[in-house]
Amino acid sequence: MSVTSRYRDAWESFWEEAPEDRGAVFWDAEPTLTAGRHLAHFEPHLADPGLPLIDLGCGNGTQTRYFAERFPHVVGADLSTAALAHARRADPAGLAAYRQLDAADKAEAETLHAELGDANVYVRGVMHQCEPEDRRPLADTLAVLLGDRGRAFLVEPSQAAKSVLRGLAQGPAGPPAKLAPVLRHGLTPGAVPDEAVPQYLEAAGLTVLARGELPLVTTEYTADGTRVELPSTWVVAGRRGA
């Protein structure tokens, strides 16, 4: 199974038009406010920190480069070739490697696992952007990439985030500048029930090792200068018995 051409084309067109400037994309927040906070919850559960780390859905690679300064082998993976082009241009020193990957295609995950072996995987806000029928395949892909020793960290907007996004999109002045392109390209996030994420992981043969809540920071601000943060939940998972 792989993602629909509509979904792939939407992401390509979004990233082809996206500015190069850091922080110009709605979710491209500073790593100290995103990956850094997440890593504090992820690292204690890593069975082997020396495994390759895959930033799945890496986009323009801001968080990927942060990880590459802290782990020996980091791979940014994304569906969009345009996103990966952004990531490579922003990483002239080659701190990380970058790889196109359809996360709903188990065969592609098996190919990457054959190359890297077991890996730890970081996923920020990917499942809620998936088509509903691609969410279980995404969990299956994670299980393949983790193998026996890897661990996954997923952070996803909670159900409460939907009202925040709706309020931004329906404001009197219209959606904010950084949210407008997301909506224009049809990348409207889908509501994933809070309990669904661990259920998808468990159905793929993984065990939830830890979970919690942590705001998902964006680069957008309200009219009064308050940074927009989306309520979110995070989960750490690994193979049963590993």
Side-chain angles (χ1 to χ4, degrees), residues 18-181:
E20 296 282 349
D21 300 340
R22 183 166 171 173
V25 173
F26 183 68
W27 51 79
D28 190 30
E30 305 92 314
T32 54
L33 300 178
T34 48
R37 291 181 179 178
H38 301 151
L39 194 56
H41 298 281
F42 190 21
E43 274 191 305
H45 299 282
L46 295 179
D48 186 350
L51 293 178
L53 176 70
I54 300 172
D55 180 8
L56 187 60
C58 69
N60 61 1
T62 299
Q63 316 305 319
T64 316
R65 295 188 296 278
Y66 177 88
F67 287 126
E69 295 175 347
R70 289 156 179 80
F71 292 93
H73 186 189
V74 174
V75 177
D78 203 280
L79 174 69
S80 168
T81 57
L84 294 171
H86 274 277
R88 291 187 178 102
R89 287 193 295 270
D91 186 10
L95 296 176
Y98 300 94
R99 173 72 173 264
Q100 185 178 20
L101 180 72
D102 180 345
D105 191 327
K106 188 176 180 181
E108 291 192 19
E110 289 169 342
T111 298
L112 184 56
H113 182 263
E115 295 175 12
L116 297 179
D118 292 358
N120 297 313
V121 184
Y122 174 74
V123 187
R124 181 173 66 111
V126 173
M127 186 170 285
H128 82 287
Q129 282 285 6
C130 287
E131 305 283 0
E133 62 270 21
D134 289 333
R135 292 168 187 163
R136 171 59 197 275
L138 171 61
D140 291 336
T141 283
L142 289 174
V144 170
L145 296 175
L146 299 186
D148 293 328
R149 296 177 296 150
R151 296 286 185 267
F153 182 93
L154 291 84
V155 57
E156 296 287 338
S158 65
Q159 288 171 273
K162 187 174 183 178
S163 61
V164 176
L165 289 168
R166 184 187 297 114
L168 290 172
Q170 298 177 352
K178 295 177 184 177
L179 181 59

Side-chain angles (χ1 to χ4, degrees), residues 7-16 27 79-80 129 187:
Y7 182 72
R8 187 188 300 270
D9 292 347
W11 278 109
E12 285 295 344
S13 62
F14 172 83
W15 281 112
E16 285 170 359
W27 51 79
L79 174 69
S80 168
Q129 282 285 6
L187 300 172

Side-chain angles (χ1 to χ4, degrees), residues 177-202:
K178 295 177 184 177
L179 181 59
V182 179
L183 303 177
R184 187 173 68 251
H185 288 279
L187 300 172
T188 50
V192 181
D194 294 345
E195 291 303 314
V197 174
Q199 289 171 358
Y200 283 125
L201 297 173
E202 289 166 355

